[in-house]
Each structure stands twice: as C-alpha cells, then as structure tokens.
Amino acid sequence: MTGGAAGATVLWRPSRAAVRDSALIRFARATGHGEDYHDLWTWSVTDLEGFWTAAAEFLGVRWRTRPRCALGSRAMPGTEWFPGGWLSFAEHVFADRDPGKVAVRYASEAYPGVRVWTWADLRRETARIRAGLRGAGVGRGDRVAAYLPNLPQTLAAFLATASLGAVWSAAAPEFGTDAVVDRFAQIEPTVLLAVDGYRHKGRTVDRDTEGRDIARRTGARYVRLGHLDGSGWENGFLGPEDSELAHEAVAFDHPLWVLYSSGTTGPPKAIVHGHGGVLLELLKTTVLQLGIGPLDRVFWHTTTGWVMWNILVGPLLADASVVLYDGHPGHEALWDLAEQTGMTVLGTSAAWLASCRRNDVRPLDGRDLSALRVIGSTGSPLAPECYDWVYATFPTKPWLVSLSGGTDVVTPFLGAVPTVPVYRGELGPPALGVDLRSCAPDGRPLVGAVGEMVVAQPVPSMPIGFWNDPTGERLRRAYFSGFPGVWTHGDWLLLTERHTGVISGRSDATINRGGVRMGTGEIYRALLTVPEVQDALAVDVPRPGTHGWLVLFTVLSAGSVLDDALRSRVTAAIRTGCSPRHVPDEIVPLDEIPRTTSGKKLEVPVKRILMGADPDSVVSRGSLANPASLDAFRRAAAHLIPTAREDTLPPGTRPAPAHPFPEKEKS
C-alpha cells in the first residue's frame, strides 16, 4: 500500500511553543479538553451539537438572528443546521478590518510586478460593484455568473454578490464556451461578469467574443471587465466612489454559491452551498486546522473554476491577507512569487510538486523563502517521494500539509492538524466535526486496511442540494447510494492506528485484478522510480470472460523511447511496488495525459471511451486543460473494443490488441 506502514517516518513535528500558542489548543482548553487531538476530535463527532455551537462562538460568528439550536434534523441528506439563524458571509470578511492594512497581493502574466489592495481598496471596490449589480437588477436569490480570472476584482465581485444575498457562480476563462454554458445555463444568471481576455504561458487569449456568446446563450446581461487592455469595468457599471457597503442578512442555509462537478463523467452537477455552512467550515479550516492568523500571507495556485479559489477566501475571514496569481505556474514562477510577496503559506497541487521534484527544481537557489512556514498540497494523493523532496529541499522544515476534501464540501475532510507530526506519505487526521471512516463493503469500519472513504454524520458545508433537483434524487444518487444515510466520497482510504490517512485513488477507478484491488495512485507512485516516465494514466478495460485489459498510457521525458529495456523497467517497477497482477497488458506512449483545468486525470472518462463511448458524451471538452489530448483515445477505441471471439477466450490466451498509437521518439 502507499504509506500507512507501522513505524512510518516522522518528517516534521510542531514546536512545543507552536502547539501551546495555537488557536486549536486555545479552542480545546475553552471547551474543557487537553492537547490530545484525537480526544478533541472524538468529542467533536460524538457531540455534534455541542461542538458546532462551541465552534461558532469561539470563531466569532456574528448572528443577526440567533438560531434555535445547532441541529434541527440530523438526516443525511436534508440536515437542518442552525435553524432560525440569520447572518451575512460578507459582513464577516469586512468586520473590524484596518483600512490601511494590505488585504490582497496579486500578480498576473498580463503586467509586471506584484500589486496590492488594502482593506480600504477591497471595501471600496466591493461597494461599487454591489451598486452596479443592484443597478442591473440583482437582488436576493438572483444568480451572478462570472467568467473571470483570479484577480482582486473577481474577489470583490463575489463579496458584492454575497452582500446582496445573491448567488455567485464562476467558471475560469480557460473553459471553452460550451463547457461554461453547460454550467451557467442551469442556473439562469441575471448578470454575466466576463473578462476581455487573459495571458497564459506568454500568450494572449482573447475572451470577449466567448463572453458575449455565453451571455447570449444563458440570457444574462453582459458586463465586461477590461483586464488585458487595462480599462477595468465597462463604463456605467460601477457605482460612485462613495457607494455604501451594506450586508443583507440571510438564513443560514440561504444559497451562497453554486459550484460544479468537473464534468468528467457527464454534464456537470450544479452543487449549491449555503452561507452559514461555508462560513463556519472556512473559519474552522482556516483558524483551527491550518492555524492561519492576521500575520499570514496565504496563497493557493488555482483558477476561479477550482474549489480552492473558494477556499482561498477563508483567510480573509481571519484577517489574513491573500496572494492571487493569474498565469502559468511553470517550475519557477510560484517560488519567485513566494519570495516577492513574503508568502507564509504556499498551496498548490500534488502534480505541481511532483513536477518540481522530477525536474530537480531548487526553490532556494537565489531566493529568500524564510517566511514560508506552510506548503500545502491537494488535488490528488501526494507521493511519499514528494514528502522527501520537500524536506530535503527546505532545511527550515515547513509544515507540509496534504489535504483531501472536495468541491462537494468546500473543505478538507482530513490532512490539516497543526499540533500533530507529519508522517511520510500520510495525510493528517480527520478534521474536527468530520466523522470520517474507512469502510468495508459490508459497512464495517476499518483500521490499517483500505476501504471506501465515508462520512457517517453531517458536516455544515455539505451541499444544501443540486440546482434543479427538487426531489433530491440526484443528490442521493451522487453521495448516498453506496451506504444509505452515509456520505460516500468516492476515494479509497486507509486510516492508520495513528489516526492519519492515506488516499490511494478514486474508488471508481480502482483496478481489481484477480481479487487484488489497487488504486491507480499506487501505480503512479511505483512509476516514480522510472525517471523517463513523466506522467501516466492507468485504465483497466473490462472484457467478459477475462480478467480485463490493463493499459498504461505514459508521457516520456524528452529524448526517451519506449523500447524493450524501458518497458521492462516500467513493468518491474509496478510488479515490485504494487503487485505482479497489476503489470499492464500494454504500455502506450502519448504526448500528454488528459486533465481537467484543476489538474485531475480523466481515468474514468478514458475508460468509458476505450469501451466505446463517444468522448463528447462522457466529458465536457471545455472543462479540460488539454482537450485535444482526447483525440488519441477516440482513434484508439476501435482497436481496444474486444471482438465477440476474443470475449470467449480464457485469461492469458487472447491475442494482443492492435497497437493504435504510433511509437515515435519524443522531441
């Protein structure tokens, strides 16, 4: 298995002073607990009402109308949190802020250097956009759609929307028009805020035509933001300089925003989250789990189309400043940005850290990164070798936080506990209030063995529903069909006796060979020992009467050729690191692996394509970072679909499939 072994190596421990002074320990003491995190977590999931009531008070939730209790109904789905409670998300962001303190640092490929907004700047821009939205007819419950990059104007537009009690929904301008319409047409926005274009990898990408087309097809009023040309919001949209920033109070479960599933398994689901649930979860995650405070400068590399953009709003609730970046990360740009901004928290994807490791990036060469105390990773499992790279690279030993959660809940389920050690290859314990379990197929909880990752009790930021799902049937099918009344997340999880966790991939992409189940993440980890393999995607195509056909698609380093010697080393790595049963039937070189704009590999959609499905029926191309990469699989499908004669052959006797991909030396 990937990590989780008894006696795993400790790579980092918090100092005694850091533990003593942490907000987590202050909260523990305020609720009558000591420094043992597992004891605090146990209370948080055995007394949900007591825990969340105490958390709301400790974290400073400002009620306009106090709730009758913390929990009305405990049923999942349909949990009733803080019934009768009214509040405003945006009010919490701006409460008691020093107007002269920096709130946002931001950089973009579109212009040189790092710029700043103070809290006064952010407040003024939010108030002016709020006035503009009101002038466009936006009120409580109306939807504001954004086709905007990761800019401070986007942040202000969200806060303006929330202050009105309207509902925010965003898509990154990297998304194609059809993918955006697939999302926004579901919610029928009143206004579309759209950028004129952006820059990526030094290339200017115009988006004015696409934005107007999206507005036309969704019936929204089009409002242009001139980013590339520096013109700002279109004339007549913003309110006056002295516009008032008021905050409409709404019910705890009033919709705050609509997020979307990745669109990799069909039309994206429109996931609705409530004001109060998101507020409480972001406060808990930011203050208690990540230990972020007013002196922090927090960054996460994300587009507006990934949930990490939404989570990055959280540090503002703690009076920390945020760092925004609109552009390609390369291998050096984010480390440069960390130095330029005095970043204390650098968040990114596991794929980017793995790429830095593979390319022998040296962040400290010529840079002062002494302010950096936290390096965060999410999006996919972080390989143990990447833990080694971080701690070999940074002698100051920052806290490496590998998180697992999702768009579905806008919060990590596990990974961030500032008072416990970091073990090689393992995520930290479950978050407070998250009754996380690893379950066998019969529902038995497992420790030290891989099972289905489930959450047995409600969490405030679970969706209040899907848009246009009045009976809740789609929501139940998505999360509650595996174990009725229990949230099933779709990951394979191992919980150790230390209460840490190891994610070994998506449970719907697990490869079962002769009864031996293996997550694709474990195969990818084994391949880290083969330096020529830069990226990979493993798919097991079912074939009746056989044990299936396991194909490994690989992206090789420049100049490498998939000859017999390299094939042997690849298969040996998987045989040794995973199991002999998971040695691929075929290894195929590709130019690139298809990924979503947030970096997730398309394992399940590729599997369905290879089984004969039309690529456009299983994935929205506009949601992909590299949509052209699917064409190779479309060409391959006819070669990989078994004939009736092959289906009848016993395992090991069927002919090898015709090779659909020409082998070529990579330039």
Side-chain angles (χ1 to χ4, degrees), residues 223-234:
V223 176
R224 179 180 181 274
L225 173 65
H227 170 51
L228 290 180
D229 64 14
S231 62
W233 295 106
E234 66 178 48

Side-chain angles (χ1 to χ4, degrees), residues 59-84:
L59 295 167
V61 171
R62 296 168 174 248
W63 299 105
R64 295 283 191 87
T65 303
R66 296 197 66 84
R68 298 187 297 274
C69 58
L71 267 173
S73 168
R74 289 173 172 260
M76 285 199 296
T79 310
E80 188 181 20
W81 285 101
F82 293 95

Side-chain angles (χ1 to χ4, degrees), residues 224-425:
R224 179 180 181 274
L225 173 65
H227 170 51
L228 290 180
D229 64 14
S231 62
W233 295 106
E234 66 178 48
N235 289 335
F237 172 63
L238 292 178
E241 286 278 349
D242 60 352
S243 296
E244 178 188 4
L245 180 57
H247 301 291
E248 296 290 332
V250 294
F252 191 89
D253 61 354
H254 182 80
L256 174 66
W257 55 42
V258 178
L259 305 183
Y260 302 91
S261 63
S262 62
T264 58
T265 56
K269 300 183 291 290
I271 305 167
V272 187
H273 295 107
H275 269 246
V278 170
L279 171 68
L280 195 48
E281 271 293 336
L282 289 186
L283 280 168
K284 184 203 73 176
T285 298
T286 301
V287 177
L288 300 183
Q289 307 289 168
L290 288 170
I292 290 170
L295 299 180
D296 279 305
R297 303 177 181 189
V298 185
F299 169 81
W300 212 286
H301 184 244
T302 179
T303 71
T304 54
W306 189 21
V307 68
M308 294 312 300
W309 185 88
N310 303 77
I311 291 175
L312 186 57
V313 176
L316 294 175
L317 295 166
D319 197 16
S321 63
V322 296
V323 180
L324 309 181
Y325 178 63
D326 170 44
H328 180 62
H331 289 122
E332 307 288 347
L334 301 190
W335 301 118
D336 289 341
L337 184 64
E339 179 185 42
Q340 293 161 5
T341 60
M343 205 181 285
T344 63
V345 180
L346 186 155
T348 183
S349 67
W352 187 77
L353 288 175
S355 181
C356 286
R357 172 187 172 273
R358 283 196 308 268
N359 289 277
D360 195 27
V361 175
R362 301 176 185 274
L364 296 183
D365 283 3
R367 298 185 185 93
D368 178 7
L369 300 181
S370 56
L372 193 61
R373 67 176 186 85
V374 180
I375 295 177
S377 171
T378 193
S380 59
L382 185 65
E385 290 77 7
C386 291
Y387 285 71
D388 296 339
W389 179 80
V390 167
Y391 284 107
T393 300
F394 291 90
T396 54
K397 292 191 178 297
W399 177 27
L400 177 59
V401 184
S402 181
L403 302 172
S404 180
T407 300
D408 328 72
V409 289
V410 206
T411 191
F413 279 147
L414 77 166
V417 182
T419 61
V420 303
V422 170
Y423 292 90
R424 181 178 186 267

Side-chain angles (χ1 to χ4, degrees), residues 20-66:
R20 182 191 62 235
D21 297 338
S22 67
L24 183 66
I25 295 305
R26 294 200 305 273
F27 174 70
R29 290 173 180 153
T31 55
H33 296 84
E35 294 188 0
D36 182 82
Y37 180 77
H38 188 64
D39 174 66
L40 182 66
W41 175 82
T42 300
W43 166 68
S44 76
V45 297
T46 54
D47 181 8
L48 285 185
E49 187 155 7
F51 166 72
W52 287 109
T53 299
E57 180 178 356
F58 181 85
L59 295 167
V61 171
R62 296 168 174 248
W63 299 105
R64 295 283 191 87
T65 303
R66 296 197 66 84

